[in-house]
Amino acid sequence: AYEIMPSLVGSEMCIRDSSKKFVKLLNKTKISISNDDTRHYLNGVFIHVTEAHGRSFLTGVATDSHRLSSSSLEIDDKGSILRPFILPRKTVFQLCNLLAETNDSLIMQTSENKVKFVIGNIKLISKVIDGKFPDYKKVVPINNEKKLIVSTKDFISSIERVASVSLDRKEGVKLSINRDNIHFSVNSANSGEGNEIIKAEFSSDNLSVSFNSKYLIDIASEVENSKLRLNLKDPTSPVLIEDAADKNSYYVIM
């Protein structure tokens, strides 16, 4: 539920740049919002301030325990204090619609259980999710040394084609990775088999790994660079996906 209120006592932050940066953050993270209502604290985007290399960032993170998305934008933290909060799914999508149509600055104010957004003449107030977001950094791989570089466009197109043979789009797609190519395959007991090979660069020996095809497509579709980078370890460990065009965003498939 949304309420229009004249003021909200709490911490405040103003993003004076175009709010397009914040809507990009939301778009890159909302793909991993959980639909499992039994873990309500995963049903939104965790918004908080982080620090790295002496710089401050506004960071959004979402996870459904199968995949994780994180995106950050650099901020000037002088005079800006923001209480961490979990922004509900419904508000995330509403805010994306509002921000897509404006270039106005964005002001955020947070209290213990509500958040207020001021965009030009628009005021949007929403409850925040009552709960503690998990320590997401524990699931981000740090020792994935096998690097796979592939065309983002070809990667998405190939997965879509081989996955199209399956009636269940969540069915796994197998990646057989070699030094210079990837063999995608889907074997569905009900509807047949799909296979395709595309060029790629892999820094290690052969590796076979399977993923939910929808997760791969959702994440790769948010990558801005023409080349997709996947950091792998072995067939059962999480994969870290990076975007060379946006070094402040990353994705994990567990």
Side-chain angles (χ1 to χ4, degrees), residues 13 49 51 54-57 74-81:
M13 174 177 291
V49 175
E51 293 186 3
R55 299 152 63 198
S56 296
F57 298 87
E74 189 168 0
I75 56 173
D76 179 1
D77 65 345
K78 295 178 181 178
S80 294
I81 302 172

Side-chain angles (χ1 to χ4, degrees), residues 191-203:
S191 51
E193 185 175 323
N195 291 276
E196 188 157 323
I197 297 175
I198 63 171
K199 293 181 179 180
E201 299 174 24
F202 190 45
S203 67

Side-chain angles (χ1 to χ4, degrees), residues 1-141:
Y2 305 104
E3 303 171 61
I4 300 300
M5 298 174 62
S7 63
L8 186 69
V9 177
S11 54
E12 178 178 311
M13 174 177 291
C14 178
I15 301 177
R16 301 192 183 280
D17 267 353
S18 165
S19 51
K20 299 299 184 187
K21 290 183 179 180
F22 187 67
V23 75
K24 184 184 289 188
L25 179 153
L26 293 179
N27 282 328
K28 291 188 176 189
T29 53
K30 71 183 184 184
I31 58 174
S32 296
I33 294 176
S34 173
N35 292 312
D36 181 0
D37 291 331
T38 62
R39 291 183 290 179
H40 67 283
Y41 50 86
L42 297 182
N43 295 159
V45 176
F46 179 44
I47 305 292
H48 57 302
V49 175
T50 58
E51 293 186 3
H53 310 296
R55 299 152 63 198
S56 296
F57 298 87
L58 183 65
T59 298
V61 179
T63 182
D64 59 7
S65 77
H66 300 292
R67 56 183 166 173
L68 179 147
S69 303
S70 174
S71 185
S72 301
L73 62 91
E74 189 168 0
I75 56 173
D76 179 1
D77 65 345
K78 295 178 181 178
S80 294
I81 302 172
L82 191 75
R83 185 197 306 261
F85 62 94
I86 305 173
L87 191 62
R89 180 197 304 110
K90 182 179 178 182
T91 311
V92 170
F93 282 84
Q94 178 75 11
L95 201 52
C96 285
N97 290 334
L98 291 173
L99 291 171
E101 300 174 0
T102 181
N103 287 315
D104 289 334
S105 296
L106 171 69
I107 296 175
M108 285 185 287
Q109 289 179 299
T110 59
S111 66
E112 188 172 343
N113 55 14
K114 291 184 181 179
V115 58
K116 176 181 179 180
F117 298 93
V118 180
I119 312 153
N121 295 323
I122 299 172
K123 295 184 178 70
L124 173 65
I125 291 185
S126 169
K127 290 182 178 179
V128 300
I129 293 177
D130 181 20
K132 182 176 175 57
F133 200 80
D135 185 0
Y136 63 91
K137 293 181 181 178
K138 289 183 177 180
V139 303
V140 180

Side-chain angles (χ1 to χ4, degrees), residues 141-150 155 173-178 181-182 200-211 216 228-242 251-254:
I142 56 175
N143 295 315
N144 287 17
E145 297 179 351
K146 298 177 180 179
K147 313 296 182 184
L148 173 65
I149 308 293
V150 60
F155 186 83
V173 57
K174 181 179 179 181
L175 281 64
S176 299
I177 308 168
N178 302 304
N181 65 59
I182 308 172
E201 299 174 24
F202 190 45
S203 67
S204 184
D205 295 327
N206 300 354
L207 177 68
S208 292
V209 58
S210 295
F211 294 108
L216 289 176
L228 183 69
R229 175 170 173 167
L230 294 87
N231 303 280
L232 302 121
K233 185 177 182 181
D234 55 52
T236 59
S237 296
V239 58
L240 176 66
I241 300 174
E242 296 176 304
Y251 311 88
V252 179
I253 301 180
M254 276 78 90

